[in-house]
Amino acid sequence: PDKYGATPLWMATYRGHVAIVKALLAAKADPSVPDSRGGNSPLYVAASRAVFYPSPDEGIQLLVQLLLHGAPN
């Protein structure tokens, strides 16, 4: 994690990198780990992308991947 507690999976989700999120999840990254600054999980970040960003499809793809890999909802 970085100094704010953001894991590589959290950052890839935040930046909307679907392929990287898939690769990290395939490598057993834990989708339940929130950042330490705001306590937001990767699932929360993906949901925010689906609602507030110009490309909601990207956020939906991220949500699906995280849920398929056991992200707590």
Side-chain angles (χ1 to χ4, degrees):
D2 67 9
K3 66 182 179 178
Y4 301 109
T7 63
L9 178 61
W10 194 99
M11 287 303 297
T13 303
Y14 177 77
R15 294 179 187 234
H17 298 302
V18 177
I20 295 172
V21 167
K22 286 181 179 180
L24 289 167
L25 290 168
K28 306 294 184 212
D30 185 351
S32 67
V33 178
D35 69 326
S36 59
R37 183 170 49 179
N40 298 317
S41 69
L43 191 66
Y44 176 87
V45 173
S48 295
R49 289 194 73 81
V51 174
F52 297 112
Y53 284 73
S55 175
D57 187 50
E58 180 181 88
I60 292 168
Q61 290 178 51
L62 293 166
L63 283 169
V64 168
Q65 290 303 310
L66 291 164
L67 289 170
L68 286 174
H69 287 86
N73 53 16

